[in-house]
Amino acid sequence: MAKGVILLAAGGTGGHLFPAEALAHELGARGWQVHLATDERAGRYAGSFPAAAIHEIPAATIGSKNPLALARAFWTIWRGAREAGRVIARIGPKAVVGFGGYPTLPPLWAATRRGVPSLIHEQNAVMGRANKALAPRVTAIAGGFLPEGEGAYAAKTVATGNPVRPAVIEAAATPYAPPAAGGPVELLVFGGSQGAQFFSQALPPAVALLPAAMRARLRVTQQARAEDEEAVRAAYAGLGVAAEVSPFFTDMARRIAAAHLVVSRSGASTVSEVAAIGRPALFVPYPHALDHDQAANAAALAAAGGAEVHAQSTLSPQRIAQLAGDLLEAPDRLAAMAAAARSVGRPQATRLLGDLTEAIASGQSVAAFKGRMRA
């Protein structure tokens, strides 16, 4: 018999749903029944989500300054809060856990109105807008890269790290092996749902500038938007470079583990997974992020020597070719970066977040939880 119900709330993008999925597996293994509240975008990611039920809750982004658009957004969020309230009344969760993004506003707002213990997990080094709005109301805040002991909500903030999925823990068991002399070189390139276009435009020309001997060894795996997929595939084919190009990969953890070098954005989930698996990376923070500074997410990894962080505005194809080419020709440096990345990984984050969730579900205070952690 299940201990009770925990309701997770996560927006319909991989960056928000993947850590929620990790916690769902953890809580399920501990005997809890997990439900998921999300928005209509979740279909691509939530099909294999380990939940007893998935509840689609109306949500909207408050990003426009247009008064009519704002009114529509608030109306949608209000409808979502009413629907979330009905779901909470029906399933009776012991706690509600949100993972950021505007789709978490209605379920968490409804939970706090009903006195249900609540927790938000902030993946990034800078708190996003939705979580900022919820922070004063919730029982506890878990931080992926948030500094513990700082800010207005320090008393209820616990630095758990970012949960990584079981597939990532499994992939982390594969030790890093740098490219062998004359052997194949695996390059993994991805940018998330919003950030992939730059790589589609910049990487093929950069690869064209690599020495012919390196191009002959190169195997590229690249995420590209559906509208860019054919052009990217054709560009690599024209260069004679082996490439697998797709808008979405369902086995990204395995592909990270297989990579000799990762070139990607530095969203919180990406940085956490690359660190947990322990792979060298060139991070290019997404310059148009509304809520967070991706450069700050990658700072710890870069400071340890596990990654390089480069602003998109500084990266011409020539510069990318120089950076990637220098690394791919230096297997000892790649191996050192992989070890450094792994040293700052937090594979225990899922367990810690599970512990915190159970603590607030049982009525334990955050102060008591922190005391137990230090004991």
Side-chain angles (χ1 to χ4, degrees), residues 19-340:
E21 180 187 336
L23 180 60
H25 281 291
E26 178 73 13
L27 293 173
R30 297 185 186 199
W32 292 90
Q33 185 183 87
V34 175
H35 287 229
L36 173 68
T38 188
D39 63 355
E40 72 279 358
R41 296 174 299 162
R44 169 188 277 185
Y45 304 97
S48 59
F49 197 97
I54 296 177
H55 308 279
E56 190 174 301
I57 305 294
T61 300
I62 307 171
S64 172
K65 294 181 179 178
N66 180 292
L68 197 59
L70 275 174
R72 280 197 298 264
F74 280 114
W75 170 249
T76 302
I77 290 170
W78 183 79
R79 286 194 302 113
R82 286 178 62 94
E83 175 60 26
R86 285 190 285 267
V87 169
I88 289 170
R90 187 170 70 249
I91 67 175
K94 299 291 186 184
V96 179
V97 184
F99 285 86
Y102 283 103
T104 64
L105 276 174
L108 269 294
W109 184 269
T112 59
R113 294 247 349 214
R114 290 173 173 268
V116 178
S118 55
L119 163 66
I120 53 174
H121 179 269
E122 175 54 61
Q123 299 170 271
N124 296 290
V126 180
M127 191 176 284
R129 295 181 185 185
N131 276 347
K132 274 184 185 174
L134 291 165
R137 301 178 61 89
V138 297
T139 310
I141 299 168
F145 291 105
L146 287 179
E148 193 171 28
E150 296 181 18
Y153 309 109
K156 59 179 175 181
T157 298
V158 179
T160 59
N162 285 318
V164 292
R165 296 166 289 160
V168 175
I169 301 297
E170 184 180 338
T174 303
Y176 182 74
V185 176
E186 301 287 347
L187 179 66
L188 174 63
V189 183
F190 60 99
S193 54
Q194 293 178 304
Q197 185 178 25
F198 168 74
F199 294 132
S200 295
Q201 295 170 342
L203 260 294
V207 168
L209 296 172
L210 292 173
M214 175 56 70
R215 289 202 307 272
R217 298 168 59 198
L218 201 60
R219 296 177 181 173
V220 178
T221 300
Q222 182 161 343
Q223 180 193 31
R225 300 188 311 172
E227 56 265 42
D228 299 326
E229 181 181 356
E230 285 305 319
V232 174
R233 187 177 289 117
Y236 286 125
L239 295 170
V241 171
E244 185 175 356
V245 182
S246 175
F248 185 71
F249 294 104
T250 58
D251 57 345
M252 188 59 83
R254 182 188 67 78
R255 292 174 186 274
I256 293 173
H260 291 120
L261 177 66
V262 174
V263 179
S264 74
R265 297 302 191 186
S266 52
S269 287
T270 295
V271 174
S272 299
E273 293 187 357
V274 168
I277 296 171
R279 295 298 180 264
L282 290 176
F283 288 129
V284 184
Y286 182 57
H288 309 298
L290 277 177
D291 281 343
H292 57 265
D293 180 0
Q294 289 198 0
N297 293 339
L301 213 56
E308 293 183 8
V309 183
H310 297 276
Q312 180 174 309
S313 60
T314 69
L315 293 179
S316 63
Q318 291 80 4
R319 180 66 174 147
I320 295 171
Q322 179 188 10
L323 290 168
D326 287 351
L327 283 173
L328 293 173
E329 296 283 7
D332 289 347
R333 186 176 168 203
L334 286 173
M337 288 177 70

